[in-house]
Amino acid sequence: MTQPAPAADQQPGIAERAALFSVLTGGWIAQACYAIAKLGIPDLLAEAPRTVDDLAAACGADPRALHRTLRALSASDLLRESPPRTFALTPTTRLLCSDYRRSSRPTALMFGEEVHGAFGEILHTLRTGRPAFERLHDVPFYDYLGEHPQAAATFHAAMGAAAVPAALAACDLRGLGTVVDIGGGEGGLLAKVLARHRAARGVLVDLPESIDLARTRLTEAGLADRVDFVPGSFFDEKTVPPGADLYILSRVLHNWDDPSAATILRRVREAIPPDGRLLVFEYLEDQDEPPTTRPTRFAAQAKLIDLLMLVMVDGHDRTLAQYRTLLTAAGFAIRSIHPAPTHASRSETAIEAVPV
Ligand SMILES: C[S@@+](CC[C@H](N)C(=O)[O-])C[C@H]1O[C@@H](n2cnc3c(N)ncnc32)[C@H](O)[C@@H]1O
């Protein structure tokens, strides 16, 4: 059966062919960005433009291969080329310099290695609904990080470079005594809370390999003497310390399927005192699917992060109604909701819940 011809204004033309070519080759550009980040080329270009031969000698690359790669990146506006065979950073690739504030280099390394490998197996995810990462490595993502310290350090550096959820500013934390950040990663959010609330103490719960990184970061911030570090799994009984005023789960629950997310919330419920509070920071899916308005750039990013959860871990973004169901089943009631400011690129909402 032949397909009916699309209406004239729906027919693909040259522009659509070019757009599709860009999409299909986007992975090549991404891997080229990964490779120059891995070789430290953005750092070599941080001060001034340099020639290919100079760069190749400094990072141990083949000059011809490097030239062709840098040319392709220039053609995509990611570098600037000027004669003779000299390249400079653009504002976008400056983000790949390792000492730039909230550098994107760790994200480029993680996307170019573990994530790229898993997306190569995305068909497995589509056929089975299971994370391609597990098919490739035979272990769940966080177990893999436990066995690969370098990958764990890169992952936590990438997470640490992500902005602390902007909705934190809308939460009333006056009079805070003790705050427990569960799955707190490198400790960026805890550092922000403790810097603002000078009388407060913090507890950071995370897997052992993350705790060492958090200790280093909070020591550098001069806050380590106000923090207890608890290495352990939030799935285990008694890992989450009891009796704190405030418990935080930031960007944790979307890593897990419903039964696992329910277990994490139950562990918090076992620890939280009757007058304690829980703050969950998560990106909220639209209540109406499909969305009635065209997705914004940030909403499109959020859908890609949800796809990342699908391919890498067994997690997903949820609607507010789905979080309410999980929280209610674990013995919490939602007390207030603080949406992220609309200008925030990572627009997690703060859901404040109390035990019932
Ligand atoms: C997506 S990161 C979020 C980090 C941080 N809360 C943030 O908002 O940037 C998820 C965190 O959960 C931690 N995690 C994963 N499995 C865990 C477990 N079983 N017990 C404790 N922490 C765990 C990871 O090490 C990581 O730091």
Side-chain angles (χ1 to χ4, degrees):
M1 214 169 67
T2 52
Q3 289 186 2
D9 63 348
Q10 296 291 311
Q11 304 250 6
I14 290 174
E16 286 71 26
R17 282 193 190 280
L20 186 60
F21 185 82
S22 291
V23 169
L24 297 179
T25 55
W28 306 352
I29 294 292
Q31 285 312 100
C33 276
Y34 153 72
I36 65 159
K38 182 91 176 176
L39 290 172
I41 287 173
D43 287 345
L44 293 169
L45 292 175
E47 297 298 327
R50 290 171 78 158
T51 65
V52 169
D53 292 334
D54 187 18
L55 287 169
C59 71
D62 175 81
R64 265 172 53 82
L66 184 61
H67 185 218
R68 290 163 69 181
T69 304
L70 300 186
R71 261 187 346 192
L73 289 173
S74 297
S76 290
D77 287 333
L78 290 163
L79 293 173
R80 276 200 196 96
E81 183 176 10
S82 53
R85 290 161 47 106
T86 300
F87 289 87
L89 295 175
T90 63
T92 305
T93 37
R94 190 164 291 283
L95 291 168
L96 295 173
C97 291
S98 47
D99 60 359
Y100 196 79
R101 194 179 69 86
R102 292 182 39 220
S103 167
S104 297
R105 182 170 188 263
T107 302
L109 300 188
M110 182 178 71
F111 281 12
E113 294 177 357
E114 279 77 19
V115 174
H116 176 70
F119 268 82
E121 297 289 327
I122 191 172
L123 210 45
H124 171 77
T125 296
L126 264 68
R127 289 199 170 118
T128 64
R130 303 289 312 151
F133 184 88
E134 288 180 23
R135 176 188 169 95
L136 211 55
H137 299 284
D138 285 330
V139 286
F141 178 65
Y142 286 112
D143 293 5
Y144 172 93
L145 291 188
E147 294 161 8
H148 296 82
Q150 186 54 55
T154 303
F155 168 76
H156 288 293
M159 286 306 303
V164 166
L168 176 68
C171 303
D172 183 358
L173 303 184
R174 280 173 298 175
L176 189 64
T178 303
V179 49
V180 182
D181 193 0
I182 307 160
E186 263 212 329
L189 191 153
L190 193 56
K192 202 155 204 169
V193 171
L194 294 182
R196 285 213 189 128
H197 302 275
R198 303 212 162 264
R201 284 196 61 81
V203 182
L204 193 134
V205 179
D206 209 302
L207 295 169
E209 62 275 9
S210 323
I211 287 289
D212 294 339
L213 299 164
R215 200 190 301 276
T216 306
R217 175 167 180 164
L218 288 163
T219 302
E220 281 166 9
L223 295 166
D225 57 340
R226 288 166 57 204
V227 179
D228 292 324
F229 297 91
V230 177
S233 171
F234 45 45
F235 291 116
D236 295 341
E237 285 177 28
K238 308 223 183 296
T239 297
V240 179
D245 301 310
L246 179 67
Y247 292 79
I248 293 177
L249 283 167
S250 165
R251 301 188 277 230
V252 166
L253 296 177
H254 79 154
N255 280 177
W256 302 97
D257 64 5
D258 283 355
S260 303
T263 304
I264 297 167
L265 288 172
R266 265 204 317 279
R267 296 292 172 246
V268 182
R269 183 64 184 81
E270 286 156 12
I272 197 168
D275 57 350
R277 290 188 288 161
L278 166 65
L279 277 176
V280 172
F281 292 95
E282 290 292 353
Y283 175 80
L284 294 187
E285 283 261 353
D286 288 335
Q287 302 276 5
D288 309 316
E289 291 283 349
T292 43
T293 51
R294 195 176 144 78
T296 63
R297 183 156 55 93
F298 296 142
Q301 272 180 12
K303 297 289 181 243
L304 287 176
I305 299 294
D306 182 64
L307 187 60
L308 183 68
M309 297 302 118
L310 178 68
V311 170
M312 297 295 285
V313 290
D314 199 6
H316 58 97
D317 283 330
R318 295 178 171 88
T319 61
L320 179 59
Q322 288 170 325
Y323 279 112
R324 192 186 298 279
T325 302
L326 276 176
L327 284 160
T328 305
F332 287 97
I334 293 181
R335 187 157 85 178
S336 60
I337 292 160
H338 306 285
T342 46
H343 65 267
S345 61
R346 306 265 315 176
S347 50
E348 288 91 359
T349 292
I351 306 171
E352 182 184 352
V354 291
V356 285

